[in-house]
């Protein structure tokens, strides 16, 4: 596909920065009050009462909207009733059931130990968030229809901050089920999001409720004042985000500190005023300079009409190009529509109805002037004017009228407010194949919702368009929402490749806008943000399309969160009642709800005291950084007195945990040490294989949550796992026995001789308590079995021979049947025997006869049914072993007969898995494990979605001895990681070759598709020398096609 709507580079359709906000010739709204409570919108009205009239539909009116202990006045009560009726109307129109009132029987819970996502705002604005929250966290998404349903109480030990309690709310569940609930005791909010335009008096109450909370908040009055200042955000987007904005001249009266000084912004002129009187001369000079400046385009506008045939032109006989100024051609002008046609043959087809631009004053040697073809809009900017369009539109040539309007508006300014003069032009007209349809020209306004995700990265979640007549105002709530594809097709652009390019540019602009906002907030104090926990978690960005550099370019018109979110929800509601959302469709609010849950988990865990058994090696260095990030207070038990982590924890307890035959005795001793030190623990956990049984025993001694020691022992000893599951025939069905593989434990040569007659060969021999695939080997006959058993018995006798692979339990082995199929990892989060989350990854072929991992891909490329089979098999095997609470890694093979179990690792996945899952899904398995250890249900989305694909390969010292010291050295790989060209997971500290080796590192590449990630990785490995005849990366990646 060629360049998007490419045209000759010499000519531009329009200047680089113009507002395409489609306005009528003169639209004036009355001026408003500075108070929050006197705003327009669905909650507004000048009388202090809700809008008159009723909503269509029928529902019960005798519901308990009063909150005990917090009575409302008549006016406030009217707004609460209005909000409830609006909610019922929205639910009814979406085909969802009416809210059930169960407030007569208060709900009880565990305040401070459960996720509570609270929204105070308009049901229509936040409906998509509420419904998505009901799916991702059933019963924990709460809508408060009145500030009286909430209470702020001082936070103990945190001066100046408060806890937000919820006494009454509408609870949301899957399927759009809603319940009106009272809570006794009140629920403690773990996340709060307030709409700040709630009607008379309520905006101020909402702002006060959101200020200085201990829980995370997604909005505050302080941040809203910044983000809804059009001048401030326009400058921010142009300077920091590189986002195109309309050319603007701003007169600002005593500007805020954020607008003072700084570098000039392209197309944005800021004039600071110390007073409002006596500014006539300055205003006329600045307006005159702006109207004649290059910011508005050093060209005249000629608007192509809707022709009854194609528009044609020539340039020295070259087809498909616009005429040059010196070419022989004849313009004919329509005084009513501003039309220019070229009528000299020979003709060649070109696009119809475009905005065309030519150098000023030179058309075939003749002067031409069309001053009325470009207009400017004059409007007010500042918090007081949010949601209002106080503006006048004048032709560019009317300098006097523009200056007079500016002077008149200056009188209305208060400190930190501005008058803006910005360029306005008709929208870009897109090419219609053949004859365009009859009717008026259409304009498109693009509305986006972009959310903050894991790592403070912006993510575009939804694009919605409005289409209407270009000569009428096109605003939120005044036109039907449409998809980008439908909207562009209506205006003449239907080629999928070109639409995809437009979408990508809108995505880049929206994400850059939020990135600029997040960068601004990072430099603000807690007081400036409205609280230590106040952040902007989502943003609405309105765009119009202009033509820049011969390509359609989105121009950011304004930032507004509520209207864009509501528009996206309205689009989703168009088919909500007709069909369920497919797996490929994601709600606009999905990333926002995931962020709410993530921040809630962080809030719940901050300050928790956790005992960690075993520090691990270099591959677990992320633990200490994560602990600081989450505010965890770690107390470490470790055998190595000189371990680097001893300086990174609250308490370090040196204790030899390597002799696992004494785990029960060690657990009692450790419990005494904990009590002697006076540690007040919230939980105890481990991610280190060797310490899992000891951890379960210690938790039992201390009365802390954990899976039973017997379950941990069963999962830790591989032959016991398989033999136990083989006996689990159900019910329920399918039973775990379907996934178990026949095996025999081996402790002597006699056991080997017995096993070769019981287990079909070829088989797999491995250490009973091993880890990292060390000592695992394919054996094809009895002699190979005896030979491998003898070798392991000789080489791996104790912990000193290979630390960290379980030799503290002994070097017993097992022989199990070898099953053909593809290998997969399933990482599970379980709480109370319920499956909360599962993440499936694919492994590449191993280098037989060994089983050291070579390559991996996430998310899985399997069909949904096969993925579900793996997840359920892993889940059933864990339950069958008694593993009910924790984060577990289950290795399986997918055979023709279904999933077969390789082994269960009763801890979070090792190697790269925690990092990859965090990167792709925004879910931190370490935090989930810590929450389970504290007896808290992990705050996870019900159906996490991957935000891309990762494909990686392992590097081995034995296979890459020179490469890892030269072209792919640790320093080189780390530099590429820091540049975002690959993901590096270092698994070993030093380059030490050996017969029983583990991978040195994992190197991965990301992509929008598996193919893209795979090709990037293959090219990288070839360039670094990782790929070669002895280590064929292309073969290892072949499973992922």
């Amino acid at each position: 596909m060629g360049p998007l709507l490419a045209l000759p580079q010499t000519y531009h359709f329009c200047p680089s920065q113009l507002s395409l906000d489609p306005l009528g010739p003169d639209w004036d709204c009355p001026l408003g009050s500075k108070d929050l409570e006197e705003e327009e919108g669905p909650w507004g009205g000048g009388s202090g009462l809700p809008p008159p009239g009723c909503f269509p539909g029928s529902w019960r009116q005798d519901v308990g909207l009063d909150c005990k202990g917090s009575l409302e006045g008549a006016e406030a009560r009217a707004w609460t009733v209005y909000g409830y009726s609006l909610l019922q109307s929205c639910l009814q129109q979406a085909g969802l059931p009416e809210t059930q009132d169960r407030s007569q029987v208060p709900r009880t819970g565990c305040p401070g130990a459960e996720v509570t996502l609270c929204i105070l705002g308009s049901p229509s604005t936040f409906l998509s968030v509420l419904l998505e929250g009901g799916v991702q966290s059933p019963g924990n998404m709460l809508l408060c229809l009145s500030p009286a349903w909430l209470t702020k109480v001082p936070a103990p030990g945190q001066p100046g901050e408060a806890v937000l309690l919820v006494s009454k709310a509408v609870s949301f569940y899957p399927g759009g089920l809603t319940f009106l609930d009272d809570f006794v005791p009140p629920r403690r909010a773990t996340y709060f999001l307030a709409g700040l335009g709630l009607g008379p008096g309520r905006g101020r109450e909402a702002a006060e409720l959101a200020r200085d909370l201990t829980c995370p908040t997604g909005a505050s009055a302080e941040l809203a004042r910044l983000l809804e200042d059009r001048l401030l955000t326009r400058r921010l987007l142009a300077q920091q985000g590189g986002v195109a904005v309309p050319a603007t001249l701003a007169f600002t009266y005593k500007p805020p500190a954020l607008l003072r000084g700084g570098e000039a912004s392209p197309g944005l002129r800021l004039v600071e005023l110390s007073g409002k009187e006596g500014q006539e001369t300055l205003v006329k000079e600045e307006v005159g300079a702006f109207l004649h400046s290059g910011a508005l385009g050093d060209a005249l506008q000629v608007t192509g009409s809707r022709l009854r045939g194609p528009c044609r032109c020539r340039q020295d006989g070259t087809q498909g190009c616009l005429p040059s100024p010196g070419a022989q051609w004849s313009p004919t002008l329509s005084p009513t529509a501003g039309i220019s046609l070229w009528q000299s043959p020979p003709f060649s087809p070109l696009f119809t109805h475009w905005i065309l631009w030519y150098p000023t004053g030179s058309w075939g040697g003749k002067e031409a002037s069309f001053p009325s073809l470009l207009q400017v809009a004059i409007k007010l900017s500042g918090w007081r004017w949010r949601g209002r369009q106080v503006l006048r539109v004048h032709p560019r040539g009317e300098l006097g009228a523009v200056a007079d309007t500016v002077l008149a508006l200056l009188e209305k300014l208060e400190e930190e407010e501005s008058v803006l003069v910005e360029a306005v032009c008709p929208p870009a007209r897109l090419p219609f194949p053949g004859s365009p349809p009859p009717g008026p020209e259409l304009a498109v306004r693009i509305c986006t919702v972009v959310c903050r995700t894991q790592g403070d990265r912006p993510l575009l979640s939804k694009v919605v368009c409005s289409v209407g007549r270009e000569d009428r105002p096109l605003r939120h709530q005044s036109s039907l929402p449409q998809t980008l594809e439908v909207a562009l097709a209506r205006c003449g652009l239907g080629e999928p490749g070109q639409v995809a390019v437009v979408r990508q540019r809108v995505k880049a602009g929206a994400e850059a806008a939020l990135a600029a906002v997040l960068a601004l907030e990072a430099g603000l104090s807690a007081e400036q943000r409205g609280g230590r926990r106040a952040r902007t978690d989502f943003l609405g960005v309105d765009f119009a399309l202009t033509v820049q550099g011969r390509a359609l370019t989105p121009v950011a018109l304004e930032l507004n969160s509520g209207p864009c979110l509501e528009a996206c929800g309205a689009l989703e509601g168009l088919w909500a009642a007709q069909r369920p959302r497919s797996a490929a469709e994601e709600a606009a609010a999905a990333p926002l709800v995931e962020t709410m849950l993530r921040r809630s988990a962080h809030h719940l865990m901050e300050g928790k005291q956790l005992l960690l058994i075993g520090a691990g090696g270099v591959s677990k260095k992320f633990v200490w950084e994560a602990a600081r990030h989450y505010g965890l207070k770690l107390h470490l038990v470790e055998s190595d007195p000189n371990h680097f982590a001893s300086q990174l924890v609250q308490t370090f307890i040196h204790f030899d945990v390597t002799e696992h035959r004494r785990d029960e005795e060690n657990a009692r001793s450790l419990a005494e040490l904990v009590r002697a030190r006076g540690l007040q623990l919230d939980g105890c956990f481990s991610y280190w294989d060797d310490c899992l049984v000891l951890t379960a025993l210690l938790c039992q001694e201390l009365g802390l949550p954990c899976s039973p020691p017997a379950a941990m022992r069963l999962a830790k000893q591989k032959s016991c796992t398989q033999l136990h599951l083989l006996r689990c025939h159900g019910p329920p069905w399918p039973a775990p026995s379907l996934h178990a593989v026949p095996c025999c434990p081996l402790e002597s040569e006699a056991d080997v001789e017995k096993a070769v007659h019981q287990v079909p060969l070829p088989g797999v021999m491995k250490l009973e308590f091993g880890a990292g695939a060390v000592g695992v080997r394919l054996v094809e006959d009895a002699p190979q079995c005896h030979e491998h058993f003898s070798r392991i018995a000789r080489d791996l006798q104790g912990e000193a021979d290979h630390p960290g692979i379980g030799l503290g339990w002994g070097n017993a082995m097992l022989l199990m049947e070898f099953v053909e199929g593809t290998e997969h990892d399933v990482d599970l989060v379980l709480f109370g025997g319920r499956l909360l989350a599962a993440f499936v990854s694919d492994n590449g072929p191993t280098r037989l006869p060994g089983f050291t991992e070579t390559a991996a891909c996430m998310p899985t490329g399997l069909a949904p049914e096969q993925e579900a089979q793996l997840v359920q098999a892993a889940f059933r095997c864990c339950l069958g072993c008694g593993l009910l609470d924790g984060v577990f890694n289950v290795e399986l093979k997918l055979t023709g007969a279904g999933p077969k179990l390789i082994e269960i690792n009763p801890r979070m996945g090792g190697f790269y898995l925690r990092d990859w899952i965090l990167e792709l899904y925004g879910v931190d398995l370490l935090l989930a494990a810590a929450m389970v250890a504290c007896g808290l249900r992990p705050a996870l989305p019900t159906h996490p979605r991957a935000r891309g694909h990762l494909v990686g390969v392992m590097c081995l010292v034995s296979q890459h001895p020179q490469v890892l010291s030269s072209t792919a050295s640790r320093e080189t790989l780390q530099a590429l990681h820091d540049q975002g060209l690959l993901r590096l997971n270092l698994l070993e500290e030093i380059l030490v070759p050996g017969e029983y080796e583990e991978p040195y590192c994992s190197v991965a590449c990301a992509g929008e598709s598996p193919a893209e990630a795979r090709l990037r990785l293959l090219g990288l490995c070839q360039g670094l020398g990782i790929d070669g005849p002895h280590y064929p990366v292309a073969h290892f990646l072949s499973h992922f096609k």
Side-chain angles (χ1 to χ4, degrees):
M1 185 186 71
L4 180 65
L5 305 178
L7 293 162
Q9 192 167 3
T10 307
Y11 300 103
H12 299 282
F13 282 103
C14 60
S16 61
Q17 294 180 343
L18 289 173
S19 170
L20 299 189
D21 209 4
L23 305 171
D26 188 88
W27 189 35
D28 191 9
C29 293
L31 300 182
S33 164
K34 187 173 183 178
D35 291 336
L36 284 170
E37 60 265 26
E38 296 183 12
E39 297 169 355
E40 294 183 339
W43 296 89
S47 66
L49 292 172
C54 59
F55 297 101
S58 61
W59 45 83
R60 292 178 61 94
Q61 304 294 325
D62 56 338
V63 293
L65 297 179
D66 292 327
C67 184
K68 296 177 182 178
S70 183
L71 298 179
E72 295 181 298
E75 187 176 295
R77 166 77 179 181
W79 279 102
T80 304
V81 172
Y82 175 87
Y84 183 81
S85 297
L86 177 58
L87 172 63
Q88 301 314 306
S89 179
C90 292
L91 293 174
Q92 191 173 81
Q93 292 186 36
L96 300 173
E98 178 182 344
T99 300
Q100 298 180 40
D101 184 1
R102 57 184 187 186
S103 59
Q104 299 303 315
V105 182
R107 318 297 291 177
T108 59
C110 302
E114 58 190 347
V115 170
T116 300
L117 313 176
C118 179
I119 290 180
L120 173 64
S122 166
S124 59
T125 298
F126 292 106
L127 186 63
S128 62
V129 184
L130 296 163
L131 294 175
E132 182 66 20
V135 172
Q136 292 199 33
S137 189
N140 297 322
M141 176 62 78
L142 308 180
L143 170 65
C144 289
L145 297 171
S146 168
W149 295 5
L150 296 160
T151 308
K152 282 178 75 172
V153 297
Q158 296 174 277
E161 295 188 336
V163 174
L164 187 66
L165 302 179
V166 186
S167 298
K168 191 181 193 72
V170 178
S171 308
F172 283 74
Y173 290 82
L177 295 177
T178 55
F179 300 90
L180 183 62
D181 289 323
D182 280 5
F183 303 105
V184 178
R187 292 184 66 159
R188 184 177 300 178
T190 60
Y191 185 95
F192 183 55
L193 179 60
L196 300 177
L198 300 173
R202 295 199 166 196
R204 184 172 295 161
E205 289 183 71
E208 182 54 39
L209 284 170
R211 185 173 292 112
D212 294 324
L213 294 176
T214 57
C215 73
T217 60
S220 71
E222 288 77 6
L223 290 177
R225 285 179 183 273
L226 298 177
L227 299 183
E228 300 200 23
D229 185 324
R230 193 185 300 257
L231 174 59
L232 175 62
T233 55
R234 193 162 288 181
R235 181 174 175 178
L236 177 69
L237 298 189
Q239 283 188 344
Q240 296 191 26
V243 180
V245 297
T248 305
L249 169 66
F251 297 93
T252 179
Y253 176 53
K254 295 184 178 180
L258 291 172
L259 280 174
R260 296 179 199 142
E263 299 178 0
S265 303
L268 183 60
R269 166 73 173 162
L270 179 62
V271 180
E272 297 185 17
L273 303 177
S274 57
K276 295 184 286 185
E277 306 294 335
Q279 303 291 346
E280 291 82 1
T281 301
L282 175 62
V283 167
K284 289 181 179 180
E285 289 177 355
E286 290 289 349
V287 168
F290 178 72
L291 295 179
H292 293 90
S293 70
L296 296 186
D298 298 323
L300 289 181
Q301 177 191 28
V302 182
T303 307
S305 72
R306 253 182 214 274
L307 306 177
R308 296 308 172 190
C311 177
R312 304 169 183 269
C313 66
R314 63 180 284 249
Q315 179 182 353
D316 301 329
T318 302
Q319 294 189 352
C321 299
L322 294 173
S324 66
Q328 297 298 317
W329 56 282
S330 172
T332 63
L333 302 177
S334 164
T336 58
I339 301 169
S340 176
L341 313 178
W342 294 270
Q343 299 184 344
S344 299
F347 297 113
S348 63
L350 194 64
F351 306 123
T352 62
H353 52 286
W354 281 92
I355 303 172
L356 305 177
W357 292 82
Y358 283 89
T360 305
S362 176
W363 280 10
K366 298 181 180 180
E367 293 294 323
S369 177
F370 304 95
S372 64
L373 291 177
L374 183 63
Q375 297 176 313
V376 292
I378 303 96
K379 59 183 68 174
L380 290 161
S381 174
W383 169 261
R384 201 157 51 113
W385 312 108
R386 72 192 194 104
R388 296 176 178 275
Q389 289 298 325
V390 182
L391 60 86
R392 291 283 184 179
V393 179
H394 294 280
R396 176 180 182 178
E398 296 182 359
L399 187 154
V402 173
D404 289 343
T405 303
V406 171
L407 290 168
L409 291 178
L410 284 180
E411 299 177 3
K412 305 179 184 297
L413 292 187
E414 295 185 5
E415 291 186 9
E416 301 186 353
E417 296 181 345
S418 308
V419 177
L420 307 184
V421 183
E422 67 179 44
V424 177
C425 77
R429 295 178 172 85
L430 305 179
F432 248 111
S435 299
E441 298 285 359
L442 298 178
V444 178
R445 185 179 180 120
I446 299 175
C447 164
T448 63
V449 171
V450 57
C451 301
R452 183 163 70 95
T453 62
Q454 169 67 32
D456 291 341
R457 286 173 295 187
L459 175 69
L460 178 70
S461 63
K462 189 72 77 174
V463 178
V464 173
C465 295
S466 298
V467 178
R469 293 173 57 127
E470 70 169 9
D471 58 345
R472 295 179 181 177
L474 192 57
R475 301 293 178 194
H476 290 287
Q477 301 176 338
S478 67
S479 57
L480 290 175
Q482 304 180 23
T483 63
L484 179 67
E485 290 73 14
V486 169
L488 293 180
R490 290 183 184 277
C491 298
L493 183 63
E495 202 281 313
Q498 294 176 344
V499 174
V501 174
V502 173
R503 177 178 289 277
Q504 180 57 38
R505 289 174 180 163
V506 170
K507 172 181 170 67
E511 292 179 352
L514 181 55
V517 169
L518 297 182
L520 170 68
E521 291 183 7
L524 300 178
S525 67
E527 182 180 2
Q528 289 173 313
R529 293 197 309 270
R532 181 170 56 96
R533 297 301 187 85
R535 297 288 190 277
T536 296
D537 285 335
F538 77 104
L539 197 65
V541 189
D542 277 332
F543 290 99
L545 287 178
T546 186
V547 181
Q548 183 176 3
R550 301 184 299 145
L552 284 174
T553 301
V555 175
L557 300 179
E558 63 180 353
L559 306 182
N560 62 73
S561 298
C564 284
L565 187 63
E566 186 168 17
C568 293
L571 178 65
E572 294 167 1
L574 290 177
W575 49 72
Q578 283 71 35
R579 61 179 176 85
R581 192 169 70 236
S582 70
E585 297 169 353
E586 185 174 44
L592 173 58
V593 174
E594 291 174 11
T595 296
M596 291 177 168
L597 291 170
R598 189 179 305 113
R599 294 187 68 190
S600 290
H602 188 163
H603 172 64
L604 286 171
M605 289 301 293
E606 186 174 24
K608 294 294 185 187
Q609 307 281 338
L610 285 147
L611 185 64
L612 180 60
I613 312 299
V618 64
S619 65
K620 298 298 186 289
K621 276 190 172 181
F622 65 82
V623 171
W624 320 111
E625 180 182 347
R628 287 194 302 271
H629 175 68
Y630 295 127
L632 304 179
K633 309 298 182 183
L634 294 185
H635 309 273
L636 175 63
V637 176
E638 168 60 36
S639 302
D640 180 4
N642 300 313
H643 198 286
F644 70 89
S646 64
Q647 305 300 313
L648 304 176
V649 293
Q650 303 293 311
T651 305
F652 180 74
I653 301 175
H654 175 227
F655 191 96
D656 185 5
V657 297
T658 59
E659 183 49 66
H660 300 296
R661 295 179 181 91
R662 301 176 56 187
D663 273 348
E664 292 188 2
E665 178 185 341
N666 289 339
R668 290 191 293 269
S669 299
L670 277 173
E672 289 302 319
L673 281 174
V674 168
R675 296 186 186 104
R677 293 189 179 224
L679 300 183
Q680 301 297 315
L681 299 176
D682 296 296
C684 173
F685 76 117
S686 179
Y687 45 74
W688 200 240
D689 275 291
D690 282 5
C691 302
L692 299 174
V693 175
L694 173 61
T695 301
L697 290 166
L698 181 56
C699 287
Q700 190 176 66
E701 288 286 334
L702 296 174
L704 295 172
C706 188
S707 288
M712 283 293 188
R713 284 195 181 96
L714 192 60
K716 181 60 184 170
Q717 189 167 0
K718 297 176 175 57
S719 65
C720 289
T721 305
Q722 300 283 4
L723 295 175
H724 172 78
L725 293 177
L726 281 171
R727 296 191 293 269
C728 295
H729 299 293
W733 188 87
S737 59
L738 294 175
H739 310 299
V741 178
C743 68
C744 281
L746 309 174
E747 294 187 3
S748 66
E749 290 284 357
D751 292 334
V752 177
E753 186 62 32
K754 179 180 177 182
V756 297
H757 294 94
Q758 294 181 356
V759 177
L761 296 178
V764 177
M765 290 186 71
K766 61 173 71 174
L767 289 165
E768 276 278 25
F769 304 96
V774 175
V776 183
R777 188 173 183 85
L778 178 70
V779 288
E780 300 192 17
D781 51 35
Q784 287 187 6
C785 292
H786 284 284
E787 179 186 356
H788 188 57
F789 182 85
S790 299
R791 184 186 303 114
I792 295 297
R794 180 186 67 247
D795 296 344
L796 301 177
Q797 297 182 11
E799 184 72 13
D801 294 325
H802 202 306
I805 64 165
L807 293 175
W809 293 88
N811 64 350
M813 301 189 72
L814 75 149
L815 174 66
M816 63 185 296
E817 181 182 348
F818 174 72
V819 292
E820 294 281 358
T822 55
E823 188 172 336
H824 307 270
D825 278 71
V826 182
D827 288 272
L828 305 173
V829 182
L830 273 63
F831 187 76
R834 295 185 179 275
L835 177 63
L836 302 188
F839 307 92
V840 181
S841 55
D842 305 334
N843 292 336
T846 58
R847 300 171 63 246
L848 298 175
F851 285 88
T852 302
E853 184 174 319
T854 58
C857 175
M858 181 181 279
T860 178
L862 296 173
E865 179 180 344
Q866 293 174 312
E867 180 183 13
Q869 287 178 351
L870 286 170
V871 170
Q872 286 301 309
F875 180 38
R876 285 192 290 267
C877 288
C878 285
L879 293 183
C881 290
L883 299 172
L884 306 180
D885 297 277
V887 177
F888 308 119
N889 171 259
V890 184
E891 300 176 30
L892 302 113
K893 273 196 170 181
L894 185 61
T895 72
K900 295 295 181 180
L901 177 67
I902 299 175
E903 62 188 45
I904 298 175
N905 300 303
R907 39 80 181 162
M908 72 175 179
F911 290 161
Y912 48 81
L913 284 169
R914 179 261 180 183
D915 177 56
W916 282 22
I917 291 169
L918 182 61
E919 171 69 17
L920 293 176
Y921 296 93
V923 172
D924 192 342
L925 293 184
L926 176 65
L927 183 63
M931 293 190 75
V932 173
C934 293
L936 300 178
R937 179 187 175 102
L940 302 177
T942 304
H943 304 291
R945 287 174 174 264
R947 314 288 182 193
H949 297 262
L950 282 170
V951 177
V953 295
M954 292 294 195
C955 295
L956 305 177
V957 176
S958 63
Q959 303 300 315
H960 308 99
Q962 281 77 38
V963 169
L964 291 175
S965 300
S966 56
T967 55
S969 67
R970 178 174 175 175
E971 294 74 20
T972 299
L973 295 177
Q974 187 63 54
L976 293 171
H977 174 92
D978 294 340
Q979 297 172 39
L981 299 177
L982 58 79
R983 294 197 71 83
L984 171 65
N985 290 99
L986 195 65
L987 307 177
E988 294 292 334
E989 189 74 47
I990 55 177
L991 297 171
V992 179
E995 181 180 358
Y996 303 103
E997 69 175 339
E998 296 179 82
Y1000 172 73
C1001 68
S1002 166
V1003 174
C1005 286
E1008 293 296 320
S1009 66
E1012 179 183 339
R1014 187 177 66 248
L1015 290 175
R1016 284 181 178 173
L1017 179 63
L1018 183 58
L1020 190 79
C1021 290
Q1022 291 171 345
L1024 294 174
I1026 297 172
D1027 178 49
H1030 62 288
Y1031 202 76
V1033 173
H1035 169 66
F1036 299 149
L1037 303 182
S1038 62
H1039 276 41
F1040 309 142
K1041 290 184 179 180

